[in-house]
Every structure is written in structure tokens, then in C-alpha cells.
Amino acid sequence: MAGSKMSLLLAVVLVLSVLLTGATHAGPEMDPYKILGVTRSASQAEIKKVYKRLAKEWHPDKNKNPGAEDMFIKITKSYEILSNEDKRANYDRYGQTDDTQPYSSGRYGHRHDSFYFDESFFNFPFNSKTHRDFADSKYTLHFNQYINDVVPNSYKRPYLIKITSDWCFSCIHIEPVWKEVVQEMETLGVGIGVVDVGYERRLANHLGAHRTPSILGVINGKVTFFHYAVAKEHLRQFVEDLLPQRLVERVTDKNDLQFLNSWHELNKPHVLLFDQVPVVPLLYKLTAFAYKDYLQFGYVDQGLSETANLQKQFNINTYAPTMLVFKENIDKPADIIQAKGMKKQIIDEFMSNNKFLLAPRLVNQKLFDELCPVKQFHRRRKYCVLLMTRDEETFSFGNQAFLSFASANTKEVVRFAYVYQRLQQPLCDILMQNKDSAQSPPQVVILERRNAAGKALFKPVTAWNGSEEDKQRLLDELERLQKDPSILIHDAMLPELNNEFASMFVIRWIYASYDYLSEVIDDILHNNWREMMPLLSLIFSALFILFGTVVIQAFSDSSEDKQTKPKAKDGTKAENGSPGSGASSRPPKKNFVEVTELTDITYMSNLVKLRPGHMNIVLVLTDASKNILLSKFAKEVYSFTGSLTLHFSFLNIDKHSEWMNTLLEYAQDAMQIDADEDDGGNHKMDYTGYVLALNGHKKYLCLFKPVYTGEDLEGKSSEDEGATTGGRSRSSSRDDHPPRKSNRSRSISTLQIHHKLDRLGLWMERLMEGTLPRYYIPSWPGLDKITPCK
């Protein structure tokens, strides 16, 4: 019993000692400021000076104190923290001194009321906002920044974007690789971005990022997701795969002349990079993408025997990468750069200085704007010497003479260019002051652009055939221009240049489609279904629309044609006698309106089962008034036949008066005036000239009642329009409608019937605006109501 008590006591003592030891280890870490004896505001120079002094003092080789070695280690560790701005800021913010715990220190916890949570107890680096790596803050993207900056810039350089969030455990594991890749890619010119899903949900949804962590690339405004394991080699290859495949051409002794001679066709300088590596460097590919609109890029592998003649021809040093720029002269480079380790800044400056040929051809407005910019300040004047020539072989001598003259130019304020009169005729007509410049001889003009709207000052210098006299005359004018800019005496508004490379759009579109399909197949192979859902939804929607609107419509049209053939004799000729046919949703062909009769055969398709959003405009007539009313009806509604939702029909009231009476029972307020005028209902209603707008799907109608102008056409006021909008006339019934009994007592003339539809055009306008009264029908009258009256 005593032994068991002793064992229990020893166990308790052992547990307490372990806990105390853990508490000791969890205590405050060393303070680098105290160890070095500097303040928190000390500069790097002060810290370095103190460190050198203490390191000499406590170096184990010079200080024999037993604690010298430990003290020297603390001094070194403290200096390592405070000399690095990132580590120093991290320590100032979180108290961090151990690289293995980058997000929190053991002495910092979170206290929420009476609940105390110490992250160091679990030793887990949570990725909350306050503990996230502060280096990501300078790359943080917001929605507006992405739309306004990243997307436009992605046409010049690719972007690598990381999707992260608070408390993202998996995000911690990719941080070391991400930091290393960012440091490398940013120096090469790749854009970097970080999106926090918790604070930029809108941007994350816009990018299609539904999980964290995710890495994606953006190029030419298009988003591509990274699917492989997060490793430096994989991310580097991912960035390389984002770039178009035909940016850089492989050049050897066999195709070098073909490559360099294409400067005239492409209107661009050509750049050749000589290097020892077998693959094209990523930095060179990124440069080619950034300057693809200005320069053509080629790569020469110096390790191949097929490139020996090229290296010998241009005397290339094999110990350092060499970059050559060729312009019009393919035998001698216009500029050269050679460096052991080429930096992006050096290459960018080199490319910017060689973006144009010595005398480029103006092929579009963008090139014209850059070569001949608009004058902004007096000291920034830019003059353009423009040769307007032709592309026939007989003019090649003069064109070559102009190029040699431009090559000898040393004045930075003067730019040389030429245009082909056949391709830029509107510009040449103005500058040559000739209405038919396509047949004029070549001519040189000096011009200065004054504003972006196209205003320019110019002066024709000389007709140009490349002779020495022409060159001397042009040289004299340029010298005069330097002394007196007022010699440009003519002014004009220049038209926008034609885009001569527009035909190449089809080729670029084919290449872009190929790249896009390759990415789609790659996404499918990696089962990235959630990110593929928008594309799959678009494809299936397109197929459904194709099937629903084309295939089904084809079958329905053929069936309707069969149904309407027997009834062709009931069709009407409207507008120059063109025959009416089945109701159609297409715009009118030529100058006729298609009108069909509403019968028991067409009743279901033209009314009851009418598609949602479609309406049938039905004219009510009799056998006697059929031809006159149909002709007038076609003229009034012709301007509305372009709408695909309107169908036009007529109803013979002699056959279907019972159906008409049943339908208008639901529009009693519209018929109230007529009921009052009907002398107690002793006489049969005359619906001739009524027009019904029937919405079969929503089951409502709009009613047009004719305006009886008769012979007294001037006796009607504008208030009559109210009678056409549903029956509520603003004037008295005696003013608007003469007694029907007196009208029926005399024969209705052709003129009176014709004028029944005078206000139909105004009524149709209000129908399209949706301002007419609507009378809803519980259900359309059945087929028994559509039977001839016997």
C-alpha cells in the first residue's frame, strides 16, 4: 500500500516537472533589440555597426568566457533578424524569432472574453488575416484593379495569381514554393497577384475560383487554371505554356534569309538571339510576347552544327548571349547587345529603341499615331516625311532611294515613312490634292499632326523618282523647316488609315482557336469539371437552341405549308396584289403582308397554342367588305411586320358571329357605348372593321373599334383617338359615332368602309408601347363557337 502511494507521488512529480519544463520552453524568446543593445527605431547602419563590435567581442576564438559561444550565437541570430527588413517587420508585428513558426509566436495568443486560445499549444500556423505572410499584401488584387489594370496589361505580359483565404490550412504548404516562384517570375516580367476569397468574393467568382488554394494564369484577358503539383518546375512550365506557341521562330543556316527577308511583308524589324542553350529562354519568350506587335523574333541555337555559318557571318561570341536587330539591311545588324546575364530592363530599353524600321510603311492608324505623334509642346515637335508611292516594280528604284535617304537621317525630330497610294487612297487624295491619286506619280510630303481629330499641317515638297535633284530638294526643305516651321502652309483633316493587316485576322483567329481548344482538352483530361461547367453549359445551350429553333422550326414550317395549301384560295392580296399565306413570324418579303384566315383549321396554332410573347392581330370583316378592308389593313400594319412576334389574320363575321359575341362578353366595358346606341339591343351588332389583338398564352385581348369618318373627314377632332384605344371615347357618342340605324338605313359606300381603319396605325403604336387596355379571358371559346351560322 505504501509502495503504491509512493509510485503515485513519483508519477505526479514527473508530470509536474514535464509541464514546468514545457512552460519554461514556452516562455518568452530572446529579444534581438536587447541582445544587440539597440532601440526599435535603430537604422540598418547602426545595427550593423553594433553587430561588428559585439561579434568581435564575443567571438569564441577571442573570448574564452564559457558562455561566449552561446552569446555569439544569439548576437548572430539577432543580427540576422534585424538586418532583414522582412524578418524585422515580422518580429515587430508578431514577435517572431523562429523561422519554423512564420505566423505566430508562443507568447502571443487570442483572448476572447473568458476563453483563451493559444495557437502555440497546437503549434499550427493558421492563415488568418493577421497572421498571413505580409509579403502577399503588395500583390493583393481587388476587382476594379483586376478589370482596369490586369486585364489590359495581360495582352503584354502573363499574370500568375494565387487564390487564398483566411484559415486556409493547405495554403501554408505551398507558401515556400510560391515565394520562390514569385521572386523568379517577377524579375522576368510576369505579373503577380493574390486574391483573398474572404475579402474579394466578387473577383474570385469572376475568375471562376471555387476552392483554395488555387493558382491560375491570365493572358490576353483569358483565365487558365494550374492543375499540377505545386513545384517550381511545374509553375515555370505553366507560365511558359500560357504564351502563344508561335512567338519565336527557330532560325538556322537553311531559313535565315527567308526569316530576315520577311521584314518587307511584315513591316517589322527582326530580332535574332544567339545562345548556347537548346531551348528558347523564358525571358526571351516573354519579351517576344510584350513586343509582338512591333518586332519579329528568332532564336539561334549555337550548339547546333546547322547554325555555324550564321555565327561566323555575324562574328558571334560563343561565351555570352548576343542579340541582333535587323531592319531594311539584312546583311548588317542595325543594333547589337551582348551580355553574360541579360536583365529585363536592358532588353526592354533595347527593344524600345528599335521598334520601327528606318522607313516603315504606314499600314494602320495605330502605327501612324506612334510614328507621327500629335504635337503637344513646342520642343516636342515631330515631323513626318511621307512618300506616297506605288508598289509596282517600276517604282522600286525610287522607293530604295527614299530608304537610303532615310538611313542617312540623324535628326530625331524627323520620321520617315511611306504609303502605297492604292491601299491608302483617301489619305493620298488629300495630301496630293488630287481626286485620282492612284494614277499620280510618287510624291514626298512633309506634315505635322496638330490634334487627335486628324488636323495636320503639310507641304508637298517634290515629285519623287529617286534622283539626286530630288534628294537635294528634300534636304533643303528639311533645313528650312528646322529654322522656320511656318513653311507648312497647307492644312487638312486627315482620314483614318485603312488597316492593311485586317486580312490576317482570320489566321490569328485560327491560331487562337487552336490554342483555346488545346486548353479545353487539357481541362477535360484533368477532370476540372467545376471550372469547366460554364463552358459545358454554353455548349449544351447552343446545341439546344440549334435544335429547338432550327430543326423543330423546319418541321413546323413544312407542316404549316401543307395545311395552308388547301386554303390558299382564302388568302388575300395585299399591297400590289401579293397573295396572303399562312401566319408567319418572319419579316415581310418585298412589299406584301402575309394574312391568313382564322378558321377551325388554323385556330389552334394561330391562337390557342400561340407561343409566349406572340400576338395575333385579327381583322373582322364580311364577304362584302373583304377586299377593301384587307387592302387598307395591309397598308396600316405594313410598318409593323418587321416584328417577329406579330401575326396577322382575318375573321369572317358572316361565318363566326357567335364566336365573336361570346368573346366580347368579357369586354363589356369596351362595348358599353355600343350597347347604349343599340336601341335596347333590338338590332344585330355590326363588327365590320373591328381589330382584335389576341395574346393566346396570357389570354387577353386589346380591342380596336373603327372611326366612322365617312364623307365629313374634317369634322373629327383629335379626341377620336380615344375610341381606337379600347372604346372609352372622350367626346359624346353623338360626336364620335353617328347613329348606326341611320347608317344602316343607307347603303355603305366603298369610301366609308375604307375609312373604318384610318386610325389603326396609331392604335398599333400604342399596342407596341403596351399602353392599351387589356381584357382578360378565362378561356378561349371552344371549337363549337367557330361554326358557320346557318
Side-chain angles (χ1 to χ4, degrees):
M1 190 69 174
S4 61
K5 290 183 177 180
M6 183 62 68
S7 300
L8 181 60
L9 182 60
L10 290 175
V12 172
V13 172
L14 180 61
V15 170
L16 290 175
S17 63
V18 170
L19 292 176
L20 290 174
T21 303
T24 304
H25 284 250
E29 296 182 359
M30 66 176 186
D31 186 344
Y33 291 103
K34 290 182 179 180
I35 294 174
L36 294 182
V38 295
T39 63
R40 288 184 175 268
S41 60
S43 64
Q44 288 294 333
E46 296 174 351
I47 294 173
K48 187 175 183 179
K49 182 178 180 181
V50 172
Y51 166 71
K52 287 183 176 181
R53 177 176 57 80
L54 293 177
K56 291 180 181 179
E57 179 182 351
W58 290 97
H59 197 284
D61 294 340
K62 298 181 179 180
N63 194 324
K64 302 305 180 181
N65 192 310
E69 185 175 355
D70 292 339
M71 187 61 183
F72 181 78
I73 293 175
K74 290 182 179 181
I75 293 171
T76 304
K77 182 65 175 178
S78 300
Y79 178 71
E80 180 183 349
I81 294 172
L82 299 184
S83 62
N84 186 299
E85 293 294 340
D86 292 345
K87 291 183 178 181
R88 182 177 180 180
N90 207 17
Y91 175 79
D92 292 342
R93 183 176 298 180
Y94 308 122
Q96 170 193 328
T97 59
D98 189 358
D99 290 338
T100 61
Q101 297 180 357
Y103 294 98
S104 64
S105 174
R107 59 178 177 173
Y108 285 91
H110 298 281
R111 186 177 300 277
H112 302 283
D113 299 329
S114 60
F115 178 73
Y116 177 79
F117 182 81
D118 188 359
E119 292 178 6
S120 64
F121 180 79
F122 296 96
N123 194 23
F124 197 92
F126 291 106
N127 191 34
S128 66
K129 183 179 180 182
T130 55
H131 293 109
R132 195 183 310 126
D133 189 353
F134 64 91
D136 282 349
S137 60
K138 69 176 181 178
Y139 304 117
T140 300
L141 288 180
H142 304 287
F143 183 83
N144 291 335
Q145 182 183 1
Y146 174 81
I147 297 297
N148 299 328
D149 298 334
V150 173
V151 173
N153 290 338
S154 68
Y155 289 87
K156 295 182 180 180
R157 63 170 178 168
Y159 275 79
L160 197 61
I161 299 177
K162 179 183 70 171
I163 310 297
T164 185
S165 64
D166 291 348
W167 312 103
C168 173
F169 305 144
S170 302
C171 298
I172 306 302
H173 302 291
I174 69 171
E175 281 302 315
V177 178
W178 172 257
K179 289 180 181 178
E180 190 175 358
V181 171
V182 165
Q183 185 176 2
E184 178 186 357
M185 292 293 112
E186 195 172 22
T187 57
L188 297 178
V190 177
I192 305 297
V194 176
V195 177
D196 189 324
V197 176
Y199 300 91
E200 280 296 331
R201 174 67 63 180
R202 181 185 179 190
L203 177 54
N205 292 336
H206 180 79
L207 295 172
H210 304 290
R211 57 186 176 85
T212 56
S214 295
I215 296 177
L216 55 90
V218 180
I219 190 168
N220 291 331
K222 184 163 59 70
V223 177
T224 303
F225 279 83
F226 175 75
H227 303 298
Y228 301 92
V230 181
K232 181 180 178 180
E233 296 76 13
H234 294 166
L235 285 170
R236 182 185 178 91
Q237 187 63 42
F238 173 68
V239 173
E240 195 162 346
D241 292 340
L242 288 176
L243 299 170
Q245 301 300 315
R246 287 157 293 275
L247 281 173
V248 181
E249 183 178 349
R250 293 275 186 165
V251 180
T252 63
D253 296 337
K254 297 179 181 180
N255 65 342
D256 61 323
L257 292 179
Q258 179 183 357
F259 174 77
L260 296 176
N261 276 323
S262 62
W263 68 266
H264 186 271
E265 178 185 356
L266 299 176
N267 200 42
K268 296 178 181 179
H270 284 53
V271 183
L272 273 181
L273 174 65
F274 291 79
D275 204 349
Q276 292 281 2
V277 294
V279 296
V280 182
L282 179 58
L283 175 60
Y284 191 59
K285 286 186 177 182
L286 292 169
T287 303
F289 179 72
Y291 293 92
K292 61 183 180 298
D293 294 334
Y294 302 98
L295 300 159
Q296 195 70 16
F297 292 84
Y299 180 73
V300 180
D301 182 3
Q302 293 177 281
L304 299 177
S305 58
E306 294 85 353
T307 62
N309 292 337
L310 269 176
Q311 300 177 53
K312 183 178 180 181
Q313 178 182 355
F314 298 112
N315 194 22
I316 301 300
N317 185 349
T318 58
Y319 298 103
T322 306
M323 200 174 293
L324 308 178
V325 172
F326 294 86
K327 297 188 177 180
E328 286 87 346
N329 185 2
I330 65 172
D331 297 324
K332 183 180 179 181
D335 203 352
I336 182 172
I337 182 176
Q338 189 176 55
K340 191 74 173 178
M342 287 192 179
K343 302 297 182 182
K344 180 180 182 301
Q345 293 77 8
I346 299 176
I347 295 179
D348 285 343
E349 183 179 357
F350 181 72
M351 298 300 172
S352 299
N353 294 335
N354 294 282
K355 289 168 58 176
F356 306 108
L357 296 169
L358 297 175
R361 178 161 57 98
L362 299 183
V363 294
N364 52 45
Q365 187 65 34
K366 178 183 176 183
L367 183 60
F368 188 31
D369 293 339
E370 294 197 48
L371 280 174
C372 304
V374 176
K375 173 193 172 183
Q376 295 180 350
F377 303 102
H378 178 74
R379 294 184 179 180
R380 295 187 180 181
R381 286 180 180 268
K382 291 288 184 181
Y383 301 103
C384 217
V385 180
L386 187 62
L387 170 65
M388 292 167 288
T389 183
R390 292 152 69 180
D391 54 353
E392 288 86 352
E393 185 66 27
T394 54
F395 298 94
S396 59
F397 176 79
N399 297 342
Q400 191 63 34
F402 182 78
L403 173 60
S404 63
F405 186 91
S407 303
N409 172 65
T410 58
K411 300 179 178 64
E412 293 184 359
V413 296
V414 178
R415 293 280 181 85
F416 291 83
Y418 69 98
V419 295
Y420 286 146
Q421 299 174 18
R422 177 178 58 87
L423 300 175
Q424 303 292 345
Q425 188 170 351
L427 176 70
C428 296
D429 288 345
I430 293 177
L431 296 180
M432 299 178 74
Q433 300 177 338
N434 187 349
K435 295 184 178 180
D436 190 15
S437 63
Q439 304 299 326
S440 301
Q443 186 172 340
V444 174
V445 173
I446 301 176
L447 65 88
E448 179 189 13
R449 299 181 64 199
R450 303 308 295 261
N451 59 37
K455 183 179 180 181
L457 301 179
F458 70 96
K459 179 184 180 182
V461 177
T462 178
W464 185 268
N465 56 20
S467 64
E468 293 300 325
E469 292 80 5
D470 294 341
K471 293 181 180 179
Q472 187 60 44
R473 194 177 296 113
L474 177 57
L475 185 61
D476 293 341
E477 290 294 331
L478 290 176
E479 291 178 354
R480 287 183 57 197
L481 182 66
Q482 294 296 318
K483 300 176 182 178
D484 183 16
S486 62
I487 66 172
L488 304 180
I489 56 177
H490 301 283
D491 64 86
M493 294 296 293
L494 303 182
E496 185 172 346
L497 268 65
N498 299 323
N499 187 2
E500 299 178 18
F501 286 164
S503 58
M504 298 179 64
F505 170 76
V506 177
I507 299 176
R508 294 197 299 269
W509 183 84
I510 293 174
Y511 286 152
S513 300
Y514 173 79
D515 293 337
Y516 186 72
L517 288 176
S518 300
E519 293 179 6
V520 169
I521 294 173
D522 184 65
D523 287 339
I524 294 175
L525 292 176
H526 288 87
N527 296 324
N528 192 17
W529 298 111
R530 187 165 187 177
E531 293 158 7
M532 287 290 295
M533 281 304 295
L535 177 62
L536 295 176
S537 176
L538 178 63
I539 294 174
F540 283 114
S541 299
L543 292 176
F544 178 78
I545 293 173
L546 177 65
F547 179 79
T549 61
V550 178
V551 180
I552 297 179
Q553 185 67 30
F555 284 108
S556 63
D557 288 347
S558 62
S559 62
E560 287 181 6
D561 290 341
K562 292 179 181 178
Q563 291 178 357
T564 55
K565 282 182 180 179
K567 295 295 179 179
K569 61 182 180 180
D570 294 330
T572 181
K573 291 185 178 181
E575 293 295 316
N576 297 334
S578 299
S581 60
S584 172
S585 62
R586 300 186 182 92
K589 298 178 180 179
K590 297 183 180 179
N591 58 348
F592 66 90
V593 181
E594 297 183 9
V595 185
T596 186
E597 183 176 359
L598 191 64
T599 66
D600 53 348
I601 296 176
T602 60
Y603 178 66
M604 295 298 292
S605 61
N606 285 13
L607 177 59
V608 178
K609 294 186 177 180
L610 203 62
R611 284 173 288 180
H614 289 239
M615 297 188 72
N616 199 342
I617 312 301
V618 182
L619 168 67
V620 181
L621 48 76
T622 61
D623 289 332
S625 61
K626 180 177 179 180
N627 294 334
I628 300 174
L629 286 179
L630 279 176
S631 178
K632 177 67 173 179
F633 179 72
K635 292 179 180 179
E636 293 293 327
V637 303
Y638 180 75
S639 60
F640 301 93
T641 53
S643 173
L644 299 178
T645 61
L646 295 181
H647 310 267
F648 301 96
S649 305
F650 69 90
L651 179 76
N652 193 328
I653 197 65
D654 292 337
K655 302 177 183 179
H656 308 297
S657 59
E658 186 179 353
W659 179 86
M660 187 72 177
N661 290 329
T662 304
L663 182 69
L664 292 183
E665 288 179 359
Y666 300 105
Q668 291 296 331
D669 53 345
M671 304 302 298
Q672 184 176 1
I673 298 176
D674 294 318
D676 295 340
E677 295 174 357
D678 202 27
D679 295 335
N682 295 327
H683 298 279
K684 185 178 179 180
M685 291 288 295
D686 179 16
Y687 297 117
T688 306
Y690 278 57
V691 178
L692 307 173
L694 307 178
N695 189 315
H697 180 70
K698 293 188 176 181
K699 297 180 182 179
Y700 70 80
L701 65 89
C702 297
L703 181 64
F704 168 84
K705 295 197 298 182
V707 177
Y708 289 87
T709 56
E711 299 175 354
D712 185 16
L713 300 179
E714 298 178 355
K716 300 302 169 188
S717 66
S718 60
E719 294 179 356
D720 287 337
E721 184 180 347
T724 71
T725 64
R728 295 188 180 92
S729 175
R730 294 176 193 155
S731 60
S732 67
S733 61
R734 293 186 178 87
D735 292 335
D736 287 339
H737 302 284
R740 295 178 185 269
K741 187 174 181 179
S742 63
N743 276 342
R744 284 195 291 270
S745 66
R746 57 193 175 100
S747 61
I748 302 177
S749 67
T750 301
L751 183 63
Q752 288 174 315
I753 297 176
H754 182 80
H755 284 294
K756 282 177 176 280
L757 301 180
D758 279 346
R759 300 294 179 90
L760 181 60
L762 298 175
W763 183 82
M764 288 292 297
E765 290 181 3
R766 297 192 60 183
L767 175 67
M768 300 302 291
E769 294 171 357
T771 59
L772 292 178
R774 297 179 179 180
Y775 306 102
Y776 286 88
I777 311 299
S779 62
W780 295 112
L783 289 176
D784 57 328
K785 298 297 181 183
I786 312 179
T787 55
C789 297
K790 296 182 180 179

